[in-house]
């Protein structure tokens, strides 16, 4: 199943917003503003102006600014978890599954959900404890996909370091690519993925 098909299936199940809907456009602009200005410095008026509506109209979709932040995070995790799961399911063998996870995360960071993923990393503490609990529960599902694959590679001796540590290191290094990787440059995402696998000693 390709990326568009996965997205449409999630939209049909009301798990994420259609990108071209009013709610979807609002979440896209909110992710951009929260990343660029920070959650606290972004006002309801800023959000409304970004999508060309009156401030009061925002509350037809969300009760509070925090609800918008939470929706950005929840929908981003849901989409990326589905994309990661599809990538894992299609790959044969644990090395291929890890490569698929790395490639899918690089695509998310440097493309479709890059702004929202940055918000997820830097702004989740702005949520209430109850909202944090929900977001972290979803994130745990996402992370378990990685830990399952890394755990099997560790047990087979192909990855010698602790799987949790490897994942934390990958989280940091892959997220940082947004600061230096240039789409359309000499190196594409597939080549970058191969370099990551090479750094892990998983390309012969």
């Amino acid at each position: 199943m390709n990326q568009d098909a996965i997205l449409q299936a999630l939209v049909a199940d009301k798990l994420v917003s259609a990108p071209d809907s009013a709610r979807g456009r609002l979440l896209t602009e909110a992710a951009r503003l929260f990343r660029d200005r920070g959650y606290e410095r972004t006002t309801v008026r800023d959000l409304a102006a970004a999508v060309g509506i009156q401030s009061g109209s925002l509350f037809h979709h969300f009760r509070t600014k925090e609800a918008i932040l939470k929706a950005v995070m929840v929908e981003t995790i849901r989409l990326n978890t589905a994309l990661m799961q599809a990538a894992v399911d299609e790959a044969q063998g644990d090395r291929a599954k890890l490569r698929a996870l790395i490639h899918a995360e690089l695509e998310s960071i440097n493309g479709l959900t890059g702004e929202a993923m940055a918000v997820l990393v830097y702004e989740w503490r702005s949520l209430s404890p109850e909202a944090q609990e929900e977001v972290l529960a979803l994130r745990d599902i996402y992370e378990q996909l990685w830990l399952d694959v890394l755990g099997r590679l560790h047990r087979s001796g192909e990855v010698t370091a602790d799987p949790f540590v490897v994942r934390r290191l990958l989280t940091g290094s892959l997220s940082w690519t947004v600061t230096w990787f240039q789409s359309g440059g000499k190196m594409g995402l597939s080549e970058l993925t191969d370099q990551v696998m090479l750094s892990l000693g998983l390309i012969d």
Side-chain angles (χ1 to χ4, degrees):
M1 185 180 293
N2 63 32
Q3 190 177 86
D4 287 341
I6 291 169
L7 174 59
Q8 291 308 313
L10 292 173
V11 170
D13 289 339
K14 301 187 186 311
L15 294 173
V16 304
S17 304
D20 58 352
S21 68
R23 179 185 168 100
R25 291 195 301 273
L26 172 57
L27 292 179
T28 297
E29 290 301 321
R32 179 182 62 80
L33 288 169
F34 292 156
R35 184 203 63 179
D36 292 347
R37 301 183 185 181
Y39 172 73
E40 293 297 337
R41 291 188 297 275
T42 300
T43 66
V44 169
R45 182 174 295 179
D46 293 331
L47 293 167
V51 290
I53 61 176
Q54 297 295 319
S55 297
S57 299
L58 285 181
F59 301 110
H60 292 303
H61 303 286
F62 299 97
R63 294 178 62 185
T64 64
K65 188 176 79 165
E66 185 197 2
I68 297 172
L69 177 64
K70 177 185 171 184
V72 167
M73 296 183 179
V74 166
E75 294 198 11
T76 298
I77 299 173
R78 285 175 177 167
L79 174 58
N80 284 322
T81 299
L83 293 171
M84 296 285 172
Q85 186 66 67
V88 168
D89 291 344
E90 291 176 3
Q92 300 297 315
D94 287 323
R95 286 195 184 196
K97 289 180 185 296
L98 180 59
R99 188 190 185 283
L101 285 170
I102 292 168
H103 190 272
E105 188 159 276
L106 285 170
E107 279 189 319
S108 297
I109 290 167
N110 292 281
L112 181 64
T113 60
E115 292 170 334
M117 289 187 75
V119 172
L120 183 62
V121 170
Y122 294 110
E123 295 289 355
W124 72 272
R125 288 183 179 84
S126 298
L127 295 171
S128 67
E130 294 78 12
Q132 283 186 23
E133 185 175 349
E134 182 177 343
V135 169
L136 291 175
L138 290 171
R139 191 187 70 175
D140 286 346
I141 296 169
Y142 176 91
E143 290 298 321
Q144 195 61 47
L145 292 172
W146 289 85
L147 294 174
D148 287 345
V149 173
L150 287 167
R152 291 194 297 270
L153 287 168
H154 181 67
R155 289 190 291 275
S156 70
E158 295 174 90
V159 170
T160 55
D162 182 277
F164 179 83
V165 174
V166 174
R167 174 54 185 152
R168 295 281 72 75
L169 292 171
L170 282 172
T171 299
S173 60
L174 298 182
S175 296
W176 198 249
T177 60
V178 73
T179 67
W180 59 267
F181 177 76
Q182 293 185 340
S183 180
K186 292 182 179 180
M187 181 183 293
L189 284 178
S190 290
E191 291 78 15
L192 179 57
T193 302
D194 287 339
Q195 289 296 308
V196 177
M197 291 290 287
L198 185 62
S199 73
L200 295 170
L202 293 175
I203 290 182
D204 298 325

